[in-house]
């Protein structure tokens, strides 16, 4: 018969005909136990569907084998693919993940940080886009950022964004664009894709045209926002490097709506190269991020920190603060 409540350690002991202490020793692999006893406990656990209380394990100083992952939302192709790759890479080390979607809100990210720390996850991977959250500076557990400068002390694993931006813009110029614009979420010194764009147009003697649509603009409003930025400069630009593929898709729709032929009249390059967008827009020229490799590097850094902390060492003492992996320019029909 099914249990009327979540099975407990006592239920397992009763079903296996052993003491609570014996069940605990089996779960923690401590002391000598006969194979027959281990088998009885394992059979009882399987029959009852018992799951160890991870929070209780944390309170007793044990690993929860759980990693928190904070992203803006897995509904966005890049972050959905990143979360899947992180989960796969962590599973190799016998870790599971808790995915937290901040939805672009700093208050929600703070709440998730508090939740993850209080539940004693073994580490955190943060790829959310909220800036200036001082809470990260107070966290002493293993922590890795993906494409985000949280702190000089926190490792950051990312695509070589400046190199990718330079390649994307250079490609537009090579294909005959005379005045390529940049469409990005936030302009400024922190935006390395913008730096690559500015470097490429500067070397070509072309004045930069930088347009911004905030990363957190709701999806139903993005098309209008992109049009509001492009319409005033339509007679001055003949190409766009968009710093993400979804924005590039909006630019393509804008161009079609204005009767511009792509790539004859107007050229477009995106950035990310996720599987979902490649399937939806197989002809888009884009800079493909090495998402699987980024995930593996982030996990390697996190696991190294966890192992150092377990050995009583400073978890971030010997780690690279910045790891950049090269992207790949994938040429399609939009250039």
């Amino acid at each position: 018969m099914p249990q009327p409540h979540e099975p407990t350690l006592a239920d397992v002991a009763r079903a296996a005909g052993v003491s609570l202490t014996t069940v605990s020793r089996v779960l923690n692999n401590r002391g000598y136990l006969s194979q027959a006893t281990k088998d009885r406990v394992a059979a009882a656990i399987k029959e009852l569907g018992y799951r160890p209380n991870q929070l209780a394990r944390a309170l007793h100083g044990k690993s929860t084998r759980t990693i928190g992952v904070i992203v803006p939302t897995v509904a966005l192709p890049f972050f959905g693919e990143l979360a899947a790759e992180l989960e796969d890479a962590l599973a190799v080390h016998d870790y599971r993940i808790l995915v937290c979607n901040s939805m672009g809100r700093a208050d929600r990210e703070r709440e998730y940080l508090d939740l993850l720390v209080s539940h004693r996850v073994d580490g955190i991977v943060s790829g959310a886009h909220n800036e200036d959250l001082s809470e990260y500076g107070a966290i002493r557990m293993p922590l890795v950022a993906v494409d985000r400068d949280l702190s000089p002390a926190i490792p950051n694993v990312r695509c070589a964004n400046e190199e990718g931006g330079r390649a994307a813009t250079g490609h537009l110029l090579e294909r005959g664009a005379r005045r390529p614009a940049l469409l990005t979420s936030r302009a400024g010194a922190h935006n390395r894709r913008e730096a690559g764009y500015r470097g490429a147009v500067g070397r070509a003697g072309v004045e930069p045209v930088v347009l911004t649509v905030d990363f957190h603009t709701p999806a139903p409003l993005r098309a209008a926002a992109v049009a509001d930025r492009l319409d005033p400069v339509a007679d001055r630009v003949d190409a766009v490097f968009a710093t993400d593929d979804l924005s590039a898709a909006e630019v393509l729709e804008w161009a079609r709506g204005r009767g511009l032929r792509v790539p004859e009249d107007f050229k477009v390059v995106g950035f990310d190269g996720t599987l979902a967008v490649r399937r939806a827009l197989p002809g888009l020229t884009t800079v493909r991020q090495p998402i699987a490799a980024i995930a593996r590097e982030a996990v390697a850094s996190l696991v190294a920190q966890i192992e150092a902390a377990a050995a009583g060492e400073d978890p971030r003492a010997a780690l690279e603060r910045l790891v950049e992996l090269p992207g790949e320019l994938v040429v399609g029909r939009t250039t």
Side-chain angles (χ1 to χ4, degrees):
M1 291 182 63
Q3 293 288 320
H5 59 268
E6 188 71 20
T8 66
L9 209 65
D11 294 326
V12 173
R14 193 176 302 111
V18 298
S19 68
L20 278 169
T21 301
T22 297
V23 175
S24 179
R25 287 168 62 197
V26 170
L27 290 173
N28 291 286
N29 195 28
R30 290 181 178 170
Y32 173 76
L33 294 164
S34 70
Q35 190 59 49
T37 298
K38 292 179 182 178
D39 291 344
R40 286 207 309 276
V41 172
I45 288 172
K46 183 176 181 181
E47 178 185 352
L48 296 173
Y50 171 74
R51 293 176 296 182
N53 186 322
Q54 296 293 66
L55 182 56
R57 290 177 59 82
L59 293 174
H60 284 87
K62 300 183 178 68
S63 168
T64 62
R65 311 304 300 180
T66 305
I67 301 298
V69 175
I70 305 177
V71 294
T73 170
V74 292
L76 292 172
F78 173 78
F79 293 104
E81 192 167 318
L82 175 65
E85 293 290 354
L86 285 169
E87 183 171 17
D88 191 45
L90 282 162
V92 173
H93 300 277
D94 195 30
Y95 286 99
R96 301 296 176 262
I97 70 171
L98 293 175
V99 179
C100 304
N101 295 280
S102 70
M103 305 307 293
R105 291 170 44 184
D107 60 334
R108 183 171 290 187
E109 185 170 352
R110 289 188 180 95
E111 290 171 2
Y112 276 134
L113 273 175
D114 184 62
L115 174 72
L116 294 172
V117 172
S118 64
H119 279 65
R120 307 286 183 89
V121 295
D122 291 345
I124 295 174
V125 179
S126 179
H129 277 204
N130 298 303
E131 297 179 345
D132 303 323
L133 265 69
S134 60
E135 286 80 0
Y136 281 103
I139 293 175
R140 294 293 173 259
M141 68 170 52
L143 178 61
V144 175
V146 172
D147 199 20
R148 185 179 183 192
D149 292 317
L150 289 176
S151 157
I154 297 172
N156 180 4
V157 182
R158 68 190 186 196
C159 179
N161 290 313
E162 185 168 349
E163 178 186 318
R166 187 164 51 246
T169 309
H171 175 72
L172 288 171
L173 293 166
E174 289 168 4
R175 289 299 175 98
R178 296 182 303 278
R179 192 73 181 277
L182 175 78
L183 178 61
T184 190
S185 57
R186 294 176 187 171
H190 67 282
N191 189 332
R192 304 319 302 165
R193 296 176 197 177
E194 178 186 348
Y197 163 81
R198 287 183 178 276
V201 295
R203 279 191 296 277
V206 175
E207 184 181 350
V209 177
V210 178
L211 313 172
T212 60
V213 173
D214 190 87
F215 178 82
H216 301 303
T217 301
L221 304 179
R222 287 192 64 84
V226 169
D228 286 345
R229 306 305 186 274
L230 283 170
D231 282 340
V233 299
D235 60 341
R236 295 195 289 123
V237 302
D238 57 1
V240 165
F241 163 40
T243 56
D244 69 88
D245 286 342
L246 295 182
S247 293
E250 297 287 4
V251 174
L252 289 172
E253 285 303 306
W254 172 85
R256 292 187 185 103
R258 302 307 184 273
L260 297 171
R261 297 171 301 161
V262 176
E264 293 85 356
D265 305 322
F266 203 87
K267 306 180 195 306
V268 180
V269 175
F271 203 107
D272 282 341
T274 60
L275 180 60
V277 175
R278 294 204 310 272
R279 286 175 173 169
L281 290 172
L284 176 66
T285 297
T286 188
V287 177
R288 181 186 299 163
Q289 295 204 58
I291 301 176
I294 288 172
R296 289 193 298 269
E297 285 289 340
V299 167
S301 176
L302 197 67
V303 170
Q305 292 180 57
I306 292 170
E307 292 176 349
E313 302 168 0
D314 180 352
R316 299 174 197 160
L319 291 175
E320 287 186 72
R321 295 294 184 265
L322 177 62
V323 176
E324 289 193 321
L325 302 173
E328 176 191 2
L329 179 67
V330 180
V331 179
R333 296 189 298 274
T334 60
T335 55

